[in-house]
Amino acid sequence: MATTTVHLLRHGEVHNPDGVLYGRLEGYRLSDRGQQMAQRVADHLSGAGRDVVAVVASPLQRAQETARPVASAFGLELATDDRLIEAGNRFEGSTIGKNPAQLLHPRYWKLLWNPARPSWGEAYAEQVTRMRAAVEDARRAYDGHEVVLVSHQLPVWVTRLSLTGRRLAHDPRRRECALASLTSCTFTDGRFTGLHYSEPAGDLLLDADPVPGA
């Protein structure tokens, strides 16, 4: 039987002193601590002798910067897959994550009619479709080995919900997907058979995630 592991890696901490919900905006790089997180993940995977044969990242800068140390640790060229990008969000560029009281303003009410979809951005189901396709393509391409896909909190989380047969609608405060965390999905002969969550940079987290979902 061929066992394949697809590691979904969330990017490290971003330099974001203003608490902007940056979404898909350009120019948001890793902070110094975020770079430490990325290296910690690289050391964790390579030190454990993992059979990583490919590293693929979202096109956004923070994901690319998180992926590079991992690719370097295994002597691999970094690949990019647009399907791993952050969720679309119409609050992008605002500071609502830092100050949610802003949602009380009437100008935002038209975006809040269906939190279960969610109505303010890319639907959970659409994220799952593109993410599951990226995971399946990676599984097929690197069958019997391990591959690291670097993405973002919400796309990783809804993919996990989908793989484990749970409802996509959820409370964002209950996501288990910290910065630089690994959601490792195991497939046996092409069939999903297990999931393991880990935080190789857990000791660096502290207050590092003031704007969840980014």
Side-chain angles (χ1 to χ4, degrees):
M1 292 189 296
T3 299
T4 308
T5 302
V6 179
H7 301 282
L8 300 178
L9 169 59
R10 184 186 174 195
H11 64 79
E13 182 189 59
V14 174
H15 178 70
N16 184 22
D18 297 325
V20 173
L21 185 62
Y22 36 76
R24 297 177 177 178
L25 295 175
E26 297 290 338
Y28 282 88
R29 60 175 176 82
L30 291 185
S31 65
D32 290 344
R33 181 161 53 178
Q35 293 173 14
Q36 286 182 284
M37 290 176 176
Q39 188 60 54
R40 184 70 61 84
V41 175
D43 294 344
H44 169 77
L45 290 170
S46 61
R50 307 300 302 226
D51 181 30
V52 174
V53 297
V55 180
V56 187
S58 153
L60 295 176
Q61 182 176 350
R62 58 190 183 273
Q64 295 278 314
E65 291 180 352
T66 301
R68 285 179 194 137
V70 181
S72 178
F74 289 93
L76 300 168
E77 292 291 328
L78 174 60
T80 299
D81 188 333
D82 290 345
R83 295 173 297 183
L84 300 174
I85 199 167
E86 174 64 287
N89 193 319
R90 293 179 66 184
F91 292 125
E92 184 178 277
S94 75
T95 56
I96 282 174
K98 184 177 181 180
N99 182 17
Q102 295 176 66
L103 292 174
L104 298 175
H105 195 286
R107 71 173 176 270
Y108 293 123
W109 293 354
K110 64 182 179 181
L111 301 178
L112 302 174
W113 62 272
N114 185 4
R117 185 183 186 272
S119 51
W120 54 82
E122 183 184 12
Y124 296 143
E126 293 172 4
Q127 294 176 57
V128 167
T129 297
R130 61 176 170 83
M131 287 289 293
R132 291 277 307 254
V135 168
E136 178 61 13
D137 284 352
R139 184 201 65 76
R140 288 178 179 273
Y142 307 107
D143 190 42
H145 300 282
E146 301 184 39
V147 57
V148 177
L149 306 184
V150 186
S151 188
H152 308 265
Q153 187 192 66
L154 181 53
V156 170
W157 179 245
V158 293
T159 302
R160 174 174 170 174
L161 293 178
S162 173
L163 285 169
T164 55
R166 297 164 61 188
R167 293 177 63 249
L168 300 184
H170 63 278
D171 181 344
R173 297 169 298 180
R174 296 182 178 275
R175 294 174 188 160
E176 187 179 39
C177 191
L179 290 164
S181 62
L182 287 166
T183 299
S184 302
C185 309
T186 302
F187 299 85
T188 304
D189 285 346
R191 183 172 60 89
F192 174 70
T193 53
L195 184 147
H196 177 71
Y197 174 79
S198 60
E199 297 178 0
D203 61 308
L204 297 175
L205 290 173
L206 301 174
D207 60 344
D209 204 4
V211 185

